[in-house]
Amino acid sequence: GYSLREAPRDATGASDETTRRRIADLYDLLYVDKYSALNPRYTPEFIAIAQRSGLLRFVLLERDGRIDAAFGYTIAHGLLAAPVVGYDTALPQELGLYRMLSYAIARTAHEAGVDLHASSGVADFKRNRGADAELEFTAVFTRLGGARPGRAPHRRAARAAQRSLTEPSPPPTLQGTNACCTKASGTASLVAGA
């Protein structure tokens, strides 16, 4: 049978290159090759940075020493989101890898005492299984500079994201910051950098 475990990390805080490459490849098989070439392409380097920074934790589904599926998740604002999910699509569908991953993600949220954010991706698949539609958007501001000394650009971005949840107006312009804001199911998540 399959076993589930957190991706091992070395003294640097990241998994070895082979594990990180497999996670990236499994994601690509599902979300890039099967669904859309417009989806993000995660690299082993991104996975290392995500692990070392604490942005994402990765969980592996293994059998006979082979990683057949994986997911990367984060918990913020009472929600668990798993933006990195993948499995070996060449294996028989009867193995139920996607179902096992879905269960593992839901169980992880339950054990953490948080709600699960299932995202708006693969909408038809989710609608066919009883999911309700929810507006979701991502805004990315890439202009660097302009921040005044002593002012933390990520705090301004967080306040702007919070306002976007309570004000019916269009999303605010985030100036002087490099930020990514996501609004989903009434909760804003924020990743910002200087």
Side-chain angles (χ1 to χ4, degrees):
Y2 278 97
S3 63
L4 198 65
R5 70 178 175 124
E6 187 162 340
R9 296 183 290 173
D10 60 23
T12 71
S15 295
D16 63 77
E17 172 75 21
T18 303
T19 300
R20 290 184 284 122
R21 166 62 55 203
R22 183 65 173 156
I23 292 168
D25 289 346
L26 291 169
Y27 173 87
D28 282 355
L29 286 171
L30 181 61
Y31 279 93
V32 177
D33 297 348
K34 184 174 181 178
Y35 292 125
S36 174
L38 299 176
N39 277 322
R41 298 206 62 143
Y42 299 120
T43 64
E45 293 77 23
F46 168 83
I47 292 168
I49 292 168
Q51 287 180 308
R52 288 181 185 126
S53 69
L55 176 65
L56 295 174
R57 295 174 69 174
F58 291 88
V59 176
L60 311 174
L61 188 60
E62 298 173 303
R63 182 170 72 175
D64 301 326
R66 185 184 67 235
I67 303 168
D68 287 345
F71 68 93
Y73 72 95
T74 190
I75 296 174
H77 310 290
L79 292 172
L80 181 144
V84 180
V85 176
Y87 66 89
D88 191 335
T89 56
L91 293 173
Q93 190 173 3
E94 295 78 32
L95 288 175
L97 292 173
Y98 188 80
R99 285 189 301 273
M100 284 188 266
L101 278 178
S102 296
Y103 173 78
I105 294 167
R107 187 179 78 189
T108 303
H110 176 75
E111 289 173 354
V114 297
D115 291 331
L116 174 61
H117 177 271
S119 86
S120 63
V122 198
D124 288 339
F125 179 86
K126 291 175 181 169
R127 265 194 301 276
N128 290 337
R129 284 154 183 81
D132 293 323
E134 187 73 38
L135 177 64
E136 179 176 278
F137 66 87
T138 301
V140 178
F141 182 78
T142 59
R143 193 180 103 233
L144 297 174
R148 289 183 280 173
R151 298 275 319 257
H154 64 281
R155 288 195 182 112
R156 286 200 318 268
R159 284 192 298 272
Q162 185 62 37
R163 280 194 310 271
S164 75
L165 293 174
T166 58
E167 297 175 5
S169 60
T173 301
L174 306 176
Q175 297 182 5
T177 181
N178 176 17
C180 171
C181 303
T182 301
K183 176 181 176 181
S185 302
T187 301
S189 302
L190 176 70
V191 177

